[in-house]
Amino acid sequence: MNQQPIIIVKDLVKKFGSFVANDHLTFKVKRGEIFGFLGANGAGKTTAIRILCGLSFPTSGELSVAGYNVYTQREKIKQNIGYMSQKFSLYDDLTIFENIRFYAAIYGLSKKEIDRRTDILMKKLGLEEAKKKLIRDIPLGWKQKLAFSVAIIHDPKIVFLDEPTGGVDPITRRQFWDMIYEAARNGITVFVTTHYMDEAEYCDRVSIMVDGRIAALDTPVALREKYHAKNMNEVFLQLARAQKTEVL
Amino acid sequence: MKRFRGFVVKEFLHIFRDYRTLLILFGMPVIQLILFGFVITNEIKDARFAVLDLSKDETTRQITEKLTSSGYFRLDRNLNTYNEIEEAFREGEIQLVVVYEPDFARRLERDHVANVQLIGDASDPNTANILVNYASGILTNYLLSMNAEVIPMKIVPETRMMYNQELKGVFMFVPGLMAMLLMLISALMTSLSITREKELGTMELLLASPLRPMQIVVGKVFPYVFLAFINACIIILLGWAVFGVPVRGSVGLLLFESFLFISMALSLGILISCVTNSQQLAMMISLVALMLPTILLSGFIFPVENMPMVLQWLCHIMPPMYFITAIKSIMLKGNGLFFIWKETLILIGFTLFFILMSVKKFKIRLS
Ligand SMILES: Nc1ncnc2c1ncn2[C@@H]1O[C@H](COP(=O)(O)OP(=O)(O)O)[C@@H](O)[C@H]1O
Ligand SMILES: [Mg+2]
């Protein structure tokens, strides 16, 4: 097992004009881990994830993803990651099957491989009957699960999930996390952002972001102990309050 | 390449699934051409005409009577001098003026030849053309009926078109329609299709995938090159079938010029989608900044040389006029590249310029 961290971020800064969206972020993500980015809306989670995916350049900082440099090897990075964006991102006017086939194709899978994986996926999600249904005609829970499955259809080394469970009912959320666990068991590193505090408990380690900074980073158990909190929500509230008083 | 193919397949799926848009795109040229044809045939009933009878004899009276009873024409007034012709047309009611030369009947009898002048109002050239043809036909019929004997007699109709000697409108319509539709499909449709991905957020996923930005852009416009081409062919074929608009020059050259124009419009579409993030805005920009000039400032509807200087100048800095001039020259005059190299070069220039601009803009947006 390679112990080299799969994501290394050192002093990541991202500015939009004079506004600092990411303020000197430093962290490492281990291979095969489920790493959570926890924070309120506007904390800078999406900004960071987009940089890690090669969708925007950092203002400064040293970053490597899957062993590749974020500034110079974006193409290499893109071949090794999967990404599920904050916005729902399957095509409404295409069928389930067509969506899967499309994403598999743009990641360069062969036709045979596409068919094989589609079949497996359909069975797993219990969607065999619905293969020819348009995305717009299926419930949101299904869509989210499908979007996740599509994001890892090419067996990436890392998958980035930006608030994947936004607006989804608790049961589906639970099922969704089962899928995340399964992916992690299969060796995919999961980088997930969320503003649901309870979801932080499911992560191996969480980084709590407040106003563009990492306020704390550790396993959920360690964080709860350190802040003498019953759950992650209390941890978060204490950190957010601390940040406020600091500003005042 | 596999990736690119997968991407293009998806684009075609989008297009075919949205069959309503597809129907509009392909129905539009057909409907517009047929409507145009319908308007023309519709106007041939009871067309008003005026007579300038410089002979005032039995024969001219009979011919006028024949014209009137044909059902196509209605006598509106009699004129007394040449000067009144212009005035009659100006008032706008008169579509045809018939002038009989002095001593019409006597000349016909003596020389077996007499002259009649048919003057059409060619500001609506198609109608004028048809009216003049009908009137000539009626004249010929009259001669045949009155002259059962073998003496060869001839009435020579001399036709003249007022206002628009070259008959611009008719044949302008097909090239103009082509310019408009190619612009619509290429620029509007691509800009919509790209901004839609932005709106949906799927553009993020595409950019995060191993697809190269260039592949995304080319994949997006690729299907529309096809659609635009098919549409161009439909228009040319229909124009030929409905109006007899010919393609006298090389078809290859015609398609090449169309391809140039399509590329130019596509890069404009890409450019628009680079500077906007919503479909609505893209649509507004395409319609106002591209369609209006294509219709109004290209010579499509209004002849460029009749415009005020400022507008003429505007026409010259926009591509549609050059395209229309070029394909008109190929289709109607049968000219080769030698005659339209200037227009072709200008179109190539525009195309390169817009492609460069859009590639540059697209790059900027990525970082
Ligand atoms: N392209 C941009 N230009 C200017 N400001 C931006 C841009 N993208 C994000 N921001 C700002 O950066 C901050 C962090 O945004 P974001 O990373 O989306 O937060 P989160 O995903 O944690 O909700 C927000 O205040 C947002 O307004
Ligand atoms: Mg976000």
Side-chain angles (χ1 to χ4, degrees), chain B residues 96-168:
Chain B
L96 182 77
V97 172
V98 181
V99 184
Y100 303 102
E101 68 173 338
D103 284 338
F104 190 89
R106 203 170 316 147
R107 288 199 55 186
L108 194 59
E109 206 160 301
R110 198 182 58 212
D111 308 338
H112 306 304
V113 172
N115 289 308
V116 57
Q117 199 179 20
L118 303 170
I119 306 175
D121 175 2
S123 51
D124 180 357
N126 228 32
T127 313
N129 215 353
I130 291 174
L131 287 179
V132 166
N133 282 336
Y134 280 18
S136 315
I138 293 169
L139 285 178
T140 315
N141 269 342
Y142 170 76
L143 259 190
L144 287 175
S145 72
M146 86 169 237
N147 186 33
E149 298 111 76
V150 238
I151 315 162
M153 281 185 170
K154 222 161 104 189
I155 295 178
V156 184
E158 177 202 335
T159 60
R160 204 183 112 203
M161 293 297 173
M162 278 300 244
Y163 301 126
N164 187 356
Q165 312 265 345
E166 276 182 68
L167 287 187
K168 273 199 185 128

Side-chain angles (χ1 to χ4, degrees), chain B residues 269-306:
Chain B
I270 298 170
L271 197 59
I272 289 176
S273 52
C274 285
V275 296
T276 57
N277 284 320
S278 81
Q279 293 189 75
Q280 277 218 328
L281 195 58
M283 176 122 93
M284 294 290 287
I285 297 181
S286 305
L287 288 181
V288 175
L290 301 182
M291 292 310 287
L292 280 185
T294 307
I295 296 172
L296 301 177
L297 295 175
S298 61
F300 175 16
I301 292 191
F302 306 113
V304 174
E305 55 274 16
N306 295 356

Side-chain angles (χ1 to χ4, degrees), chain A residues 67-127:
Chain A
Y68 300 107
N69 186 310
V70 161
Y71 295 93
T72 55
Q73 297 174 297
R74 294 211 285 188
E75 299 310 320
K76 281 272 196 299
I77 291 178
K78 287 176 183 178
Q79 297 188 4
N80 286 293
I81 62 166
Y83 173 48
M84 183 175 164
S85 81
Q86 196 171 348
K87 271 194 189 167
F88 175 70
S89 46
L90 297 175
Y91 295 97
D92 255 357
D93 58 336
L94 302 188
T95 64
I96 294 177
F97 176 65
E98 286 161 350
N99 268 286
I100 297 175
R101 198 179 50 183
F102 168 65
Y103 281 109
I106 63 173
Y107 279 96
L109 298 188
S110 69
K111 187 166 175 340
K112 228 172 81 194
E113 195 60 13
I114 292 175
D115 286 344
R116 195 180 69 82
R117 293 194 191 193
T118 309
D119 277 350
I120 296 175
L121 187 57
M122 290 298 178
K123 283 214 187 76
K124 200 172 81 187
L125 296 175
L127 288 177

Side-chain angles (χ1 to χ4, degrees), chain A residues 46 86 162-163:
Chain A
T46 301
Q86 196 171 348
D162 197 357
E163 307 210 9

